Amino acid sequence: MRKTLRNYALVASMLLASVASFGQSKITGTVVDAENGEGLPGASVVLKGTTNGTITDFNGEFSLTVDKSTATIVISFVGFQTIEKTINLSETQSLGRIELAPGANELSPLEVIASVAVDRKTPVAVSTINRTMIEEGASNQEFPELLKSTPGVYATKQGGGYGDSRINVRGFNDENVAVLINGVPVNDMENGNIYWSNWAGLTDVTTFMQVQRGLGASKVAVPSIGGTINIITKTTELEKGGNVYQGFGNNGYLKTSFSLNTGLTENNWAISVSGAKITGDGWADGTQFVGYNYFMNISKVLNDKHTLSFTGFGAPQVHGQRQNMQSIAKFRDAPQGLRYNADWGVLNGDVVNVEDNFYHKPQFSLNHYWTIGNKSELSTAVYYSTGTGGGGGYATEEDAVTGFEPTFNNYRTGGTYSPYDLDAIVDLNQTSSDGRALGYLRASRNDHRWYGVLSTFTHKLNDNVDILAGLDGRFYKGIHFSEVYDLLGAEYVYDDNNMNRPDAALNVGDKRDYYNDGLVGWAGAFLQAEYEKGPLDAFLTLSASNTSYQRIDYFQYAPEDQATPWQNFFGYQVKGGANYRLDRNHNVFANVGYFEKAPDFDAVFQNFRNDINSEAENQKILSYELGYGYRSPKFSGNVNLYRTGWSDRTFTKSFQGEDDQLYYANILGVNALHQGVEIDFTYTPMKSLKVLGMLSLGDWTWSDDVNSVNVFDEQQNIIETIDQLYIADIKVGGSAQTTAALGIDYNIIPAFKVGVLYTYFSKFYADYDPTNRTSSEIAGVQAWEVPTYGLLDVKARYDFKIGDLDANLFVNANNLFDVEYISDAQDTNSTAAGASVFYGVGRTWTTGLKINF
């Protein structure tokens, strides 16, 4: 059935807020899956024709107060049939069990654009984290960390700076995991990177997150290799009201936030806004941060057929970083212990984050939902994103003064483990006879402009077949340069890297070292057929895209030679799958897919120059998966088997040299095999107790050695060429190949909930350093294996009243037992003594109070 006008407004608004309306009658009941009798948490229950509604709890139960003698309520849930019930009310009316049949209700237009997977229908391995789980578990964690109990996922804060986390899915780093916000791709269009600091703080406005492992359900957006992370933000809330939140925690953590909703007005307008400020000193030394986030949504139901929704959000932030790994011995010897950070300094008594990150990447989108007829709909999103910012570091002029040691490491306030003495650098700069800087601070910038459109047409061909077709167009301009940030008392700095302005005297804000643009055009289309009859759901997707690259270099070429010709790469994707519900408890699924994607930008233009690689070719991925699911009122579980082969992989690998500087290796033509098994379950033996767990066993291996690898420094200069890189048969590093989790949520009383989560990580191999795998003697020798570790997190939530207002108190402690563990490692000689590491963050805690009005 197609949606009515009012239901369409509900769909555009995604999720109803719970309502505390004052009346004389109460409706209660339990919403369950008709196939297995299991309660459906998060189902919406709305008094028809009003915005008075609520959502079911984690057992599927609800309570709704109304002030009418006769009421019709609308009950709906994503992927299930929407039903209505009309009742004559007494003081309290129990509806008992309300069964929703799967598959009859369509996804919302936004969820169609975002390619949301539906349990027991979409044949992919999927885990969904709802708003309640995010709210209770977020604490001072970041997006990737919220997924750590998901099979196949490994997440870490890396150096511990705000927003510096990373995530791996099935052994693939986040360059190869598609990240979508409301269906809009956010991976860097040049090389696929995802910078979580750009989205730090947006947990406040996330309705749910869905991790689709493997091929995923995405149709034409960035083809996923490891998986797809779908972040769905809230849209306009239909209930008038809002909330305020105040939280604090370890190391000066302080968070203040608010949310306001107008509700749906009589003339069908609705507006939601929210904002937050987050500050803290950071767990490691020199990682202070300040971050903001803002969100707004304006929706208008124009008529029976058209709805418009405008969304804008962003999260500007600046934070100090711990960029350089250290040896285990150095962390042990440092007076600061595991909090030691070598990358910050002191100037005039103030902390200066020599290595820092500052960025703002707002995203704006206008969505149009059009009900063309009883069988057809068109959903279109036009979006724009602009990014401004980068990261800091230091620079030196070794030939400016005789005897000057060209490194900041010799200028520390009190020895090896103390911060940089920037006052000493200022004094050193005064010895320059002509005012030229000997040491100064610089920033590496990566600004961008991104325009795009996504459009999906859905047509119901008959009772069993739906046809979906769509377009995906994007244009991206990445603006890359290094700039002078602070001259530290000098008058200028000398730079000879711009051939069009040789022997330049630069001031603060002037570009240095390099300046180039990367332009990317993307034109894609897809066609998908979906079949549903009885217990069988199946799909087949065909998609194609053309990726175009151009590089413009303003420093290394004369004006007439600065722009390269456009380089075009045609890619395509074929994938299909089926899910079969054996009975109300059991289902099985399978999927298979093959796709070719364009090589990364750096594989096309080599050596950080306009050198076009004539042999650049598409990356090729073949993936298939089998899955089994079991659902019952008390126990649900999944088992997935997967195998993904990746040929002609291209990537730019960053690593840390012996001089503690970052270097980059442009590695082409790598082959890898990722395979494994994943198990997850949820057990609810009683209404107040919920147990969840997972086990993931992976086997991820590099298949072949690699020829001819160039190594660059941060100034994009070639410093070494590796003739042979011996990596065949070594394990893919950077992610634990065996992970497990066990969690318990328990409602001591209905208003007081506690939870614990234990996560376990094993078979975690250090990432390799390309410069140390150049000898045939190391062929087949595995990188160092990081010691196994386990972490325990605890949480508590208490719901209560402040006068007539609902309030929630949250308490969280992560790594409760303050376990010392290594979260990131780089190998040099297959031993612990030769490894460079980051230790994981120790015990952290937060508490916060939210008041709803």
Side-chain angles (χ1 to χ4, degrees):
M1 295 177 60
R2 292 288 144 182
K3 305 174 182 67
T4 64
L5 170 62
R6 188 58 58 186
N7 283 340
Y8 206 95
L10 295 177
V11 169
S13 300
M14 289 291 294
L15 184 65
L16 293 171
S18 296
V19 188
S21 57
F22 299 95
Q24 299 179 359
S25 300
K26 181 180 291 186
I27 304 171
T28 63
T30 304
V31 181
V32 301
D33 183 337
E35 287 197 343
N36 57 32
E38 185 177 2
L40 292 174
S44 66
V45 183
V46 187
L47 181 64
K48 187 175 182 179
T50 75
T51 59
N52 180 17
T54 187
I55 59 174
T56 58
D57 64 16
F58 69 91
N59 294 309
E61 298 177 354
F62 70 90
S63 175
L64 178 65
T65 303
V66 300
D67 57 2
K68 297 181 178 181
S69 59
T70 301
T72 298
I73 60 172
V74 180
I75 302 126
S76 62
F77 189 67
V78 171
F80 287 77
Q81 180 183 13
T82 296
I83 65 173
E84 297 183 3
K85 284 187 173 290
T86 302
I87 53 177
N88 294 316
L89 294 170
S90 57
E91 183 174 345
T92 301
Q93 176 73 51
S94 175
L95 300 180
R97 288 164 55 91
I98 303 169
E99 296 185 345
L100 297 188
N105 186 34
E106 303 145 346
L107 295 174
S108 75
L110 176 60
E111 291 165 333
V112 170
I113 290 177
S115 303
V116 170
V118 179
D119 186 42
R120 284 170 57 85
K121 280 176 58 68
T122 311
V124 299
V126 62
S127 300
T128 301
I129 298 180
N130 61 33
R131 178 65 206 160
T132 298
M133 298 168 66
I134 294 171
E135 191 173 52
E136 293 175 353
S139 182
N140 53 9
Q141 298 186 100
E142 298 165 12
F143 274 120
E145 296 174 284
L146 294 174
L147 304 172
K148 62 187 176 185
S149 61
T150 300
V153 168
Y154 182 75
T156 164
K157 286 183 181 292
Q158 295 193 97
Y162 177 78
D164 285 345
S165 54
R166 66 175 177 90
I167 189 170
N168 289 53
V169 180
R170 290 182 172 176
F172 297 98
N173 60 21
D174 49 19
E175 295 176 13
N176 304 293
V177 175
V179 179
L180 311 175
I181 299 180
N182 295 335
V184 174
V186 297
N187 297 72
D188 182 281
M189 285 195 65
E190 293 175 270
N191 295 302
N193 294 307
I194 180 72
Y195 303 100
W196 291 101
S197 58
N198 298 342
W199 317 109
L202 289 183
T203 51
D204 293 336
V205 297
T206 298
T207 298
F208 68 89
M209 285 195 296
Q210 190 175 79
V211 181
Q212 302 168 9
R213 301 184 297 280
L215 290 174
S218 64
K219 303 170 185 67
V220 73
V222 187
S224 57
I225 301 173
T228 302
I229 298 175
N230 248 328
I231 299 171
I232 307 297
T233 69
K234 69 178 183 179
T235 53
T236 301
E237 305 283 2
L238 296 186
E239 172 62 17
K240 183 178 181 179
N243 62 71
V244 293
Y245 173 88
Q246 183 63 61
F248 61 94
N250 59 280
N251 299 100
Y253 178 87
L254 188 66
K255 177 178 179 179
T256 304
S257 68
F258 74 93
S259 179
L260 294 172
N261 312 304
T262 66
L264 191 64
T265 65
E266 293 182 357
N267 57 357
N268 291 324
W269 282 94
I271 301 173
S272 289
V273 297
S274 64
K277 179 181 179 180
I278 310 172
T279 61
D281 297 329
W283 185 82
D285 288 348
T287 53
Q288 296 85 348
F289 63 90
V290 56
Y292 301 86
N293 69 70
Y294 57 87
F295 171 89
M296 68 173 177
N297 177 271
I298 303 172
S299 290
K300 169 66 174 177
V301 180
L302 300 176
N303 52 42
D304 289 352
K305 295 184 178 297
H306 299 277
T307 299
L308 285 176
S309 180
F310 174 80
T311 301
F313 56 87
Q317 56 78 35
V318 59
H319 70 274
Q321 292 186 299
R322 180 166 60 171
Q323 181 169 283
N324 292 303
M325 295 181 178
Q326 306 292 339
S327 68
I328 295 174
K330 199 163 188 177
F331 275 114
R332 296 298 185 191
D333 293 341
Q336 305 91 329
L338 306 187
R339 298 175 188 261
Y340 169 61
N341 177 15
D343 301 324
W344 64 287
V346 176
L347 178 64
N348 295 324
D350 297 324
V351 171
V352 174
N353 301 113
V354 174
E355 298 286 356
D356 67 352
N357 178 273
F358 52 96
Y359 216 85
H360 183 203
K361 182 185 172 72
Q363 184 185 101
F364 304 96
S365 63
L366 178 64
N367 288 33
H368 175 230
Y369 308 128
W370 179 15
T371 302
I372 300 173
N374 291 332
K375 294 185 176 182
S376 302
E377 293 180 352
L378 181 66
S379 304
T380 302
V382 179
Y383 62 91
Y384 170 69
S385 175
T386 177
T388 304
Y394 64 78
T396 58
E397 287 285 355
E398 60 181 295
D399 60 345
V401 169
T402 301
F404 172 58
E405 175 65 30
T407 175
F408 272 37
N409 284 329
N410 289 346
Y411 296 86
R412 302 235 173 223
T413 59
T416 302
Y417 301 104
S418 62
Y420 292 120
D421 187 351
L422 299 183
D423 293 297
I425 301 295
V426 171
D427 293 340
L428 181 68
N429 283 338
Q430 304 309 308
T431 66
S432 174
S433 60
D434 58 357
R436 176 176 167 185
L438 311 180
Y440 61 100
L441 302 182
R442 50 88 182 160
S444 299
R445 299 288 299 270
N446 188 10
D447 299 353
H448 77 256
R449 307 290 181 265
W450 189 339
Y451 310 85
V453 59
L454 294 165
S455 188
T456 300
F457 173 76
T458 306
H459 178 70
K460 193 169 187 63
L461 200 63
N462 54 45
D463 290 341
N464 303 119
V465 179
D466 288 349
I467 300 295
L468 292 84
L471 298 175
D472 178 8
R474 312 174 209 165
F475 177 78
Y476 175 96
K477 180 180 181 180
I479 306 165
H480 319 294
F481 58 93
S482 179
E483 68 178 2
V484 180
Y485 184 73
D486 189 333
L487 286 170
L488 297 179
E491 298 178 13
Y492 74 98
V493 62
Y494 169 77
D495 184 83
D496 63 354
N497 289 289
N498 182 357
M499 68 168 293
N500 299 301
R501 188 188 171 193
D503 302 325
L506 305 182
N507 297 308
V508 172
D510 288 341
K511 295 178 175 63
R512 60 178 291 276
D513 263 4
Y514 61 89
Y515 176 27
N516 56 77
D517 294 341
L519 278 61
V520 184
W522 170 291
F526 79 90
L527 179 66
Q528 177 165 304
E530 298 179 349
Y531 176 82
E532 178 183 358
K533 186 174 183 179
L536 176 65
D537 292 275
F539 79 95
L540 176 66
T541 300
L542 304 175
S543 65
S545 62
N546 185 77
T547 303
S548 302
Y549 293 136
Q550 183 183 49
R551 189 176 190 274
I552 304 174
D553 195 315
Y554 302 102
F555 271 23
Q556 300 186 82
Y557 299 90
E560 63 273 15
D561 298 321
Q562 289 175 351
T564 68
W566 284 91
Q567 303 297 304
N568 296 292
F569 296 88
F570 178 79
Y572 64 92
Q573 178 177 215
V574 181
K575 66 179 179 181
N579 181 87
Y580 189 80
R581 295 182 291 277
L582 300 170
D583 55 30
R584 64 185 298 167
N585 301 112
H586 305 270
N587 72 286
V588 292
F589 75 84
N591 64 57
V592 62
Y594 175 83
F595 66 90
E596 294 191 6
K597 61 175 293 189
D600 295 341
F601 190 92
D602 289 340
V604 177
F605 302 107
Q606 296 182 302
N607 308 325
F608 291 106
R609 292 177 55 86
N610 290 353
D611 300 339
I612 298 174
N613 178 10
S614 60
E615 298 181 356
E617 58 181 305
N618 284 347
Q619 304 175 76
K620 305 167 185 67
I621 297 93
L622 173 64
S623 180
Y624 46 91
E625 183 169 6
L626 297 173
Y628 163 77
Y630 177 82
R631 302 290 183 271
S632 72
K634 290 188 176 182
F635 182 85
S636 297
N638 303 284
V639 180
N640 304 299
L641 303 172
Y642 66 90
R643 180 183 175 93
T644 302
W646 188 359
S647 301
D648 297 317
R649 174 181 176 177
T650 60
F651 66 110
T652 300
K653 177 181 180 59
S654 63
F655 64 98
Q656 186 175 316
E658 295 180 359
D659 56 359
D660 289 339
Q661 300 300 303
L662 278 181
Y663 294 94
Y664 304 89
N666 195 22
I667 303 177
L668 309 178
V670 183
N671 299 326
L673 177 63
H674 293 238
Q675 55 190 350
V677 58
E678 300 164 340
I679 303 170
D680 65 273
F681 71 89
T682 302
Y683 177 51
T684 310
M686 62 185 72
K687 177 181 176 180
S688 59
L689 179 64
K690 182 178 181 179
V691 181
L692 60 87
M694 73 87 178
L695 173 65
S696 179
L697 305 173
D699 181 13
W700 314 321
T701 306
W702 299 110
S703 303
D704 303 286
D705 296 328
V706 181
N707 299 320
S708 186
V709 175
N710 287 330
V711 178
F712 304 84
D713 61 17
E714 287 192 274
Q715 287 70 47
Q716 302 185 353
N717 302 309
I718 296 180
I719 63 168
E720 183 179 357
T721 296
I722 299 172
D723 295 326
Q724 186 81 13
L725 185 62
Y726 293 94
I727 60 173
D729 299 324
I730 72 168
K731 299 297 184 181
V732 174
S735 179
Q737 303 204 15
T738 296
T739 62
L742 182 64
I744 299 174
D745 286 344
Y746 181 60
N747 282 75
I748 298 175
I749 58 175
F752 184 41
K753 179 181 180 180
V754 297
V756 297
L757 175 65
Y758 178 79
T759 48
Y760 170 86
F761 306 93
S762 180
K763 290 195 174 181
F764 174 20
Y765 296 91
D767 216 344
Y768 66 84
D769 175 350
T771 62
N772 285 306
R773 298 200 70 90
T774 60
S775 170
S776 60
E777 295 179 358
I778 203 169
V781 177
Q782 291 294 343
W784 175 60
E785 185 175 347
V786 175
T788 295
Y789 66 93
L791 306 174
L792 184 70
D793 300 340
V794 297
K795 64 181 181 181
R797 171 177 177 160
Y798 180 59
D799 301 330
F800 61 101
K801 288 279 190 180
I802 299 178
D804 292 332
L805 302 177
D806 294 323
N808 318 107
L809 179 66
F810 302 93
V811 178
N812 297 79
N814 299 313
N815 190 5
L816 179 66
F817 297 125
D818 204 22
V819 172
E820 294 186 3
Y821 66 99
I822 293 170
S823 63
D824 301 80
Q826 178 184 295
D827 183 64
T828 57
N829 58 9
S830 301
T831 68
S836 296
V837 305
F838 282 136
Y839 275 90
V841 171
R843 182 190 301 114
T844 62
W845 61 270
T846 58
T847 184
L849 174 66
K850 184 170 77 169
I851 301 174
N852 307 284
F853 54 86

